[in-house]
Amino acid sequence: MASKDALIVVDVQNDFCPGGALAVKDGDQVVPVLNGYIDKFTKAGLPIFATRDWHPAKTSHFNTSGGPWPPHCIQGSKGAQFHPDLKLPPDTVIVSAGMGSDEDGYSGFLGINDSGAKLVDLLRQRNIERIFVGGLATDYCVKHTVLDGLREKFKVVLLTDSVRGVNLKPGDSERAIAEMLHAGAEIVTDLQRFTE
Ligand code: VGL
Ligand code: ZN
């Protein structure tokens, strides 16, 4: 890890964890792993971004309005809160996505902060060139965030020990990882080789 590196924690929210409205199997298991990475980035003085799925109560993203998903991560709800054990530092840059009434908002790059600034601009302002990505879910928001990061010309490292997938179809997560690799992401099992 070096200056120009940032960590992006994708959608580690209650609704994607066991007991939540759109629970990802073992979703909460990413929390201690990500806490370790958060600690490393914090100690190295590198910025941390956290995206959150942040939907209105009525949206075409939900099966109550013809969409694919049960209602989840509704703005301001308990389910939309970050997992209580996720140790985000106070200066974490929080970016919200999926706020429109007719969008899925799967990519963190579709997200904005409280002032309306887009993730790509927040990264560029800080001269970030490489992003390390982990979180939920491998086959949706993690995948789209990684692919958009590559499209925006960032180097992207996927932290496979800190992601879990929805797997609507068996193998979706593996296919998502293959797609990210093919698009140019570096796939690593842990951060060790970047911190040696
Ligand atoms: C997500 C499904 C629906 C995600 C968000 O964060 O990966 N997946 N909304
Ligand atoms: Zn969603």
Side-chain angles (χ1 to χ4, degrees):
M1 285 147 52
S3 70
K4 306 190 176 171
D5 286 344
L7 178 66
I8 303 188
V9 176
V10 176
D11 296 2
V12 181
Q13 293 164 275
N14 289 323
D15 272 341
F16 296 126
C17 292
L22 180 41
V24 172
K25 186 171 181 285
D26 298 332
D28 55 338
Q29 289 185 13
V30 305
V31 172
V33 188
L34 285 167
N35 281 340
Y37 295 155
I38 289 167
D39 196 47
K40 285 201 167 87
F41 274 76
T42 302
K43 287 191 171 130
L46 298 173
I48 296 165
F49 294 77
T51 69
R52 61 183 186 184
D53 208 30
W54 200 244
H55 298 303
K58 197 167 185 288
T59 162
S60 60
H61 183 62
F62 292 166
N63 56 18
T64 44
S65 301
W69 306 107
H72 61 276
C73 296
I74 294 171
Q75 295 164 10
S77 68
K78 175 128 193 290
Q81 285 172 16
F82 292 119
H83 189 286
D85 297 335
L86 186 68
K87 296 201 181 77
L88 292 171
D91 59 352
T92 301
V93 182
I94 294 172
V95 164
S96 307
M99 293 191 283
S101 59
D102 194 20
E103 61 158 343
D104 292 311
Y106 290 133
S107 169
F109 282 88
L110 296 170
I112 53 172
N113 73 0
D114 279 346
S115 314
K118 291 190 292 187
L119 177 60
V120 67
D121 295 325
L122 295 165
L123 290 165
R124 296 225 166 98
Q125 271 165 24
R126 290 164 178 77
N127 299 314
I128 299 305
E129 292 180 356
R130 183 167 62 171
I131 55 177
F132 290 73
V133 181
L136 306 170
T138 315
D139 34 1
Y140 292 93
C141 286
V142 170
K143 177 178 95 168
H144 287 272
T145 302
V146 165
L147 295 179
D148 278 351
L150 291 165
R151 240 172 251 131
E152 295 285 1
K153 305 292 178 215
F154 294 96
K155 291 179 193 133
V156 184
V157 180
L158 176 73
L159 300 164
T160 52
D161 62 349
S162 63
V163 297
R164 293 292 185 281
V166 178
N167 292 310
L168 277 186
K169 286 201 292 300
D172 277 355
S173 287
E174 284 78 3
R175 280 187 290 275
I177 290 173
E179 207 178 321
M180 292 184 255
L181 178 66
H182 184 253
E186 193 169 346
I187 312 291
V188 301
T189 49
D190 64 56
L191 256 185
Q192 206 166 340
R193 48 178 279 242
F194 296 96
T195 51
E196 274 159 1

